[in-house]
Amino acid sequence: MKTWRLPIVALLGLVLTSGCSGLSSGPRTTPQMVMPKSISPALIPAAPMAKTGILPASVMNVRPQSVVQGLNWTQIPGTAARAAAAPDGSLWVLSDQPSGADKYIWHYVSGTWTNISGLASRLSVAPNGTLYVINSGGGTYSYSGGTWTALGGGASDVTVGYDSSVYVLSNGNAAGSDQAIWHYTTSWSQVPGAGTSIAASWDTTSYVLSNGTVSAGGLYILNSIGNIYHENTDNSFVQLPGNASAVAPTTFGGVFALGFPTNASGNALYYYNLSTPGWSAQAGSGVSVSAGSTQLYIIGAGGGIYSSPFRVASGTITEIPLGSANAVPQDIAAGPDGNLWFTEYGGDDQIGKMTPGGMLTEYSLPASAAGPYGIAKGPDGNMWFTQTNFNTPETGKITPSGTATLYVIPSPLTGSAQPAGIAAGADGNMWITEVGNPNIIAKVTPSGSFTQYPLPAGSGDISNSSGDIALGSDGNIWFTGYFSNKIGKVTPSGTFTAYVVPTSNAIPGSIAAGPGGNLWFTETSGNKIGKISTSGSFTEYSIPTANAQPGGITAGPDGNIWFTEYVADKIGKVTPSGTFTEYPIPTSNSYPTGIAAGPDGNLWFTESQSNKIGKIIP
């Protein structure tokens, strides 16, 4: 029976506080969420966005002493009234200046503050990094590329969902009372419920509580008496126990909250674990809270900005279902746009894109497409992929916006070949393996021009089915010969060298560059992870689980090698010295295939038979 490693969340810090109100946990009531009459934000002119001069970064070069004085918390220079963590690890804040409801807007990236023109009273950040704000006049704006775009008026709070759609609260009722909720995709629509504060969830997992299911995504709502509700995407509601003045959902099964009622001296910090339901007090307090993928941010009563990392247990797995029941996801790779891209080998013949927050987009390919298989980031800012189409072997590229172009691979010298593995070379071209008769390594320019190199036969025979391919630290292209039981190397000019894998009939499958300048590969039948130096020296490590049938492989951000175990339904990790750890996938018979390091510091993998994309914390 497969087991799920539940997230363990810990704040790495201790904060001494005073004057903090607690989390009330009075009697539970059946969720009753009204849907008040309200005017669409589209019908209300957006209050003009202020045009302010750009302030120097030195304005934020202060560290106010406040009641939040952490031993392990990190105080960020500057002062603020509200904070919003961005998916890329940066931080947006509203300053505590000037006086009045609207504040200066600042962006903190890699230790540097940058001010942008404008004033706002509330803010939120989308999965793609776009900033959304509301000003005190009720105008809702998005900010991208230095430009403000008005979405509507009459709003009092804003948050952005995992699918990049926008939720706002209206301002049609008296300040402090419950306001209607509006949802914006391409147009505005009112959704059930009302509140004084909202926060979208980017958690891709559902959790069963005693009074209902908190489904993936959705929206947390606080009303005027501090009740905490989760509105699922089907508009059903689940109430959490207690009351809060602010909430900050995480992506790993929990919600941080500040106590109720609002206290100008700061509210105590709490954490609700959705996996094992219940509240726990945390060391900290503040007047505003925001959770990123790895950090929790608190604004203290004196305006000080504090961050503390939280830790999710290594090996925690999250699974995200795909839209198609017959997607059969195969290979996966990180793209230049900060998202994960993957091939769907099933009948729909699509390329999928997933944000680190779990937002899925699927792109249909041109009519001649069939069986998209390998995928890799190209030097031209596009994703390149192969297609196992016997009738018309093709490789293709797809732009970050989803426009695909296919290139027919020229007929080989004899017979036919299927394109399979693909990788970017050091020469600015894409390199692919063509499996068939004869076996070929080909390179294709960004404009679609091919050069083919047939694999040599004879004493250096590596011609019996090439497989995966990767760029080595030596600038050469390395590939697996899974029936020849060899690892091959080809120079940018087409000169081949073959190295025999020590284990007989190992069937080397996937290959990736790893620590120490070595190439690491999976041995599908040998049930081992292999390592080969650029000079051709081998080391092999046996996988603990018998007949695991390792598939995809990649170097992790933690300095280890991560791989999929196709038959064992596990994700494996091996250190450079050969120590293994294996993590069972929650879904049985998922058959994990490809794996890649994501831009969020996690490992992402495909589940070819359960039609899911998985994420594992290193």
Side-chain angles (χ1 to χ4, degrees):
M1 186 171 97
K2 306 294 183 188
T3 58
W4 191 325
R5 296 173 61 87
L6 296 175
I8 299 174
V9 181
L11 274 178
L12 304 183
L14 175 65
V15 180
L16 304 179
T17 65
S18 63
C20 301
S21 54
L23 185 102
S24 171
S25 56
R28 296 287 302 279
T29 59
T30 303
Q32 298 292 330
M33 292 295 284
V34 299
M35 187 171 178
K37 292 182 179 179
S38 181
I39 300 174
S40 170
L43 301 177
I44 304 173
M49 175 55 66
K51 296 180 179 179
T52 59
I54 302 301
L55 301 174
S58 58
V59 172
M60 296 293 274
N61 191 25
V62 294
R63 293 177 184 266
Q65 297 298 304
S66 78
V67 295
V68 183
Q69 292 298 305
L71 297 178
N72 291 321
W73 285 75
T74 299
Q75 184 176 6
I76 297 171
T79 57
R82 291 184 178 274
D88 62 1
S90 66
L91 178 68
W92 289 89
V93 303
L94 298 181
S95 174
D96 57 357
Q97 297 296 323
S99 60
D102 285 329
K103 306 296 184 182
Y104 294 124
I105 306 166
W106 291 85
H107 192 198
Y108 189 69
V109 182
S110 301
T112 301
W113 285 106
T114 301
N115 176 232
I116 65 171
S117 179
L119 296 173
S121 58
R122 298 290 180 99
L123 77 170
S124 183
V125 185
N128 64 2
T130 299
L131 175 69
Y132 289 82
V133 304
I134 286 177
N135 60 24
S136 61
T140 303
Y141 288 84
S142 65
Y143 180 83
S144 181
T147 301
W148 289 108
T149 302
L151 302 181
S156 60
D157 196 11
V158 62
T159 189
V160 187
Y162 74 99
D163 59 355
S164 289
S165 63
V166 180
Y167 293 88
V168 302
L169 292 178
S170 75
N171 63 359
N173 296 325
S177 60
D178 293 325
Q179 308 284 355
I181 305 169
W182 287 84
H183 186 204
Y184 180 82
T185 51
T186 57
S187 61
W188 289 100
S189 60
Q190 189 177 358
V191 299
T196 57
S197 178
I198 50 177
S201 171
W202 294 359
D203 198 329
T204 57
T205 303
S206 296
Y207 305 90
V208 178
L209 308 184
S210 61
N211 60 331
T213 298
V214 173
S215 297
L219 181 71
Y220 284 93
I221 305 167
L222 299 181
N223 65 15
S224 55
I225 58 173
N227 291 152
I228 310 165
Y229 294 91
H230 183 274
E231 182 171 4
N232 296 317
T233 53
D234 64 359
N235 297 139
S236 62
F237 293 91
V238 178
Q239 186 178 3
L240 272 60
N243 306 74
S245 60
V247 293
T250 72
T251 60
F252 48 79
V255 183
F256 286 99
L258 296 179
F260 184 86
T262 300
N263 189 325
S265 297
N267 289 77
L269 177 67
Y270 298 85
Y271 178 74
Y272 191 84
N273 191 332
L274 291 165
S275 298
T276 55
W279 288 103
S280 59
Q282 301 293 321
S285 78
V287 296
S288 175
V289 61
S290 178
S293 59
T294 61
Q295 298 274 47
L296 182 71
Y297 295 94
I298 288 182
I299 306 299
I305 310 167
Y306 299 85
S307 71
S308 182
F310 42 72
R311 183 176 63 248
V312 181
S314 176
T316 298
I317 292 176
T318 303
E319 298 174 290
I320 307 167
L322 298 180
S324 171
N326 189 36
V328 191
Q330 289 292 306
D331 200 12
I332 188 168
D337 57 349
N339 297 312
L340 284 303
W341 291 76
F342 55 94
T343 53
E344 297 185 9
Y345 185 78
D348 292 334
D349 292 323
Q350 299 182 125
I351 299 295
K353 177 179 74 175
M354 184 164 290
T355 69
M359 175 186 170
L360 171 67
T361 307
E362 294 170 300
Y363 300 105
S364 297
L365 296 175
S368 62
Y373 191 75
I375 192 166
K377 179 173 65 176
D380 57 351
N382 298 313
M383 298 301 294
W384 285 73
F385 57 94
T386 57
Q387 297 194 133
T388 54
N389 185 338
F390 278 112
N391 296 322
T392 309
E394 295 170 315
T395 189
K397 67 182 178 184
I398 186 168
T399 67
S401 61
T403 300
T405 304
L406 299 181
Y407 300 102
V408 177
I409 298 175
S411 299
L413 301 178
T414 59
S416 62
Q418 279 182 285
I422 186 166
D427 58 352
N429 299 312
M430 299 303 295
W431 289 73
I432 62 176
T433 59
E434 296 182 37
V435 183
N437 182 23
N439 284 272
I440 292 171
I441 300 296
K443 68 180 178 185
V444 55
T445 67
S447 61
S449 177
F450 288 85
T451 303
Q452 295 175 304
Y453 304 102
L455 273 66
S459 60
D461 179 24
I462 46 176
S463 63
N464 194 2
S465 292
S466 57
D468 197 18
I469 193 167
L471 173 64
S473 61
D474 57 353
N476 296 314
I477 295 295
W478 291 74
F479 59 94
T480 55
Y482 52 84
F483 287 140
S484 65
N485 206 49
K486 295 173 182 174
I487 301 298
K489 175 180 73 175
V490 59
T491 67
S493 60
T495 300
F496 288 90
T497 307
Y499 304 95
V500 179
V501 177
T503 298
S504 300
N505 301 315
I507 307 188
S510 295
I511 190 168
N518 299 307
L519 283 301
W520 293 72
F521 59 94
T522 55
E523 299 183 19
T524 306
S525 291
N527 209 50
K528 297 177 181 179
I529 298 298
K531 176 176 71 175
I532 182 172
S533 69
T534 53
S535 61
S537 176
F538 284 93
T539 306
E540 296 175 292
Y541 305 103
S542 295
I543 296 171
T545 300
N547 194 35
Q549 289 196 16
I553 193 167
T554 192
D558 57 349
N560 298 312
I561 295 296
W562 291 76
F563 58 95
T564 58
E565 298 184 16
Y566 185 78
V567 171
D569 276 335
K570 296 177 180 179
I571 300 299
K573 176 181 72 174
V574 59
T575 66
S577 60
T579 300
F580 284 87
T581 308
E582 296 172 291
Y583 304 97
I585 296 172
T587 300
S588 299
N589 301 316
S590 61
Y591 294 98
T593 306
I595 189 168
D600 57 349
N602 298 312
L603 284 303
W604 291 75
F605 57 93
T606 57
E607 299 182 21
S608 60
Q609 294 305 304
S610 63
N611 284 301
K612 297 178 180 178
I613 300 298
K615 177 180 73 174
I616 184 168
I617 307 296

